[in-house]
């Protein structure tokens, strides 16, 4: 094998197909794991705290914040700091 690690670095656009597969399926059926308590649940069963600008989804076991989604004039934002993983 003659290639170096640098040969494996590509532009993010090269991951478009994989990312498209991940973000297109029905999100409410995806399994989410809470970073704080380790519990897992379908996204559709989380507790929703809705506001005009967006939504906060909380863990049903520990009430930790798993997802924050907002729609602003600057775009759609999704923050998932409280999530260990999301599995489709
Ligand atoms: Zn939790």
């Amino acid at each position: 094998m003659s290639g170096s690690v640098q040969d494996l670095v590509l532009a993010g656009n090269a991951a478009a197909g994989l990312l498209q597969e991940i973000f297109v399926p029905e999100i409410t059926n995806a399994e989410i794991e809470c970073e704080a308590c380790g519990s897992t649940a379908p996204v559709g069963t989380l507790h929703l705290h809705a506001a005009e600008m967006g939504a906060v989804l909380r863990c049903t076991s520990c009430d930790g914040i798993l997802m924050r989604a907002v729609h602003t004039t600057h775009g759609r934002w999704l923050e998932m700091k409280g999530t260990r993983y999301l599995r489709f």
Side-chain angles (χ1 to χ4, degrees):
M1 185 176 241
S2 61
S4 69
V5 172
Q6 285 298 318
D7 293 337
L8 301 175
V9 178
L10 304 170
N13 284 339
L18 175 61
L19 294 175
Q20 194 72 32
E21 288 175 20
I22 290 171
F23 285 101
V24 168
E26 174 58 46
I27 186 70
T28 58
N29 293 332
E31 179 184 81
I32 192 166
E33 182 173 313
C34 177
E35 178 69 25
C37 75
S39 70
T40 61
V43 170
T45 66
L46 300 177
H47 292 158
L48 169 64
H49 298 258
E52 186 176 322
M53 236 177 120
V56 174
L57 291 160
R58 290 182 172 268
C59 176
T60 56
S61 295
C62 74
D63 207 35
I65 295 174
L66 299 181
M67 302 173 94
R68 294 179 192 170
V70 295
H71 189 180
T72 72
T73 56
H74 302 289
R76 293 185 173 98
W77 301 79
L78 177 63
E79 184 242 72
M80 298 179 60
K81 280 196 286 193
T83 299
R84 188 170 294 154
Y85 69 78
L86 188 61
R87 182 173 67 89
F88 294 91

